[in-house]
Amino acid sequence: MVVPAYNEAPGITATLRALAAQTDRDFSLVVVDNDSTDGTADVVRSCGFPGDLHVVHETRKGTGAAADTGMRYAIAHGATHLARTDADCLPEPDWTARVRAAFGDGLQLIAGRLRPRTDEAPLPPLRRGAARPSSEPPKRPRSSDGSGPATGGPATSAPM
């Protein structure tokens, strides 16, 4: 399990508690401190995570760099399957079990719906749309000039 983290000291404990409460706890946790200035790594080390915990430091800024460092670290230490979540996510208690089952079914890449945490601060307007209940139809993206549907652009997904 890889968790990139940048300046997450105030909230990462909730994520670590959610990971400690997994029904399937047969995993190593690699938290990648992305050159935080708020003591994130110290909070992680002192949280009392009950499993195999590794804290790795990455100075290159960005979630991608931190996630890549964590994945490479995990592989170098024997990982055969990789999962990733963000430091501000709260995985459901069966999340790792579902990931393991999906890998067991032969899947090689697994992604899930991202549900941003809202307990730290209100979501800005753009992110509120992302947190819309699934019963609402998605709004079709428009091109930058508003003339029609957007094409291309980055795809987003949440890692499991």
Side-chain angles (χ1 to χ4, degrees), residues 21-57:
Q22 294 296 299
T23 56
D24 179 346
R25 289 189 233 165
D26 185 21
F27 62 90
S28 295
L29 177 59
V30 179
V31 177
V32 184
D33 179 44
N34 198 200
D35 215 19
S36 298
T37 59
D38 69 348
T40 294
D42 294 332
V43 170
V44 172
R45 285 186 197 98
S46 66
C47 77
F49 186 77
D52 185 27
L53 174 65
H54 305 259
V55 179
V56 178
H57 190 77

Side-chain angles (χ1 to χ4, degrees), residues 62-94:
T63 303
D68 183 65
T69 295
M71 299 287 184
R72 289 173 187 271
Y73 179 92
I75 291 167
H77 288 83
T80 58
H81 294 86
L82 301 169
R84 176 188 173 272
T85 191
D86 290 328
D88 61 353
C89 290
L90 299 173
E92 294 292 325
D94 64 342

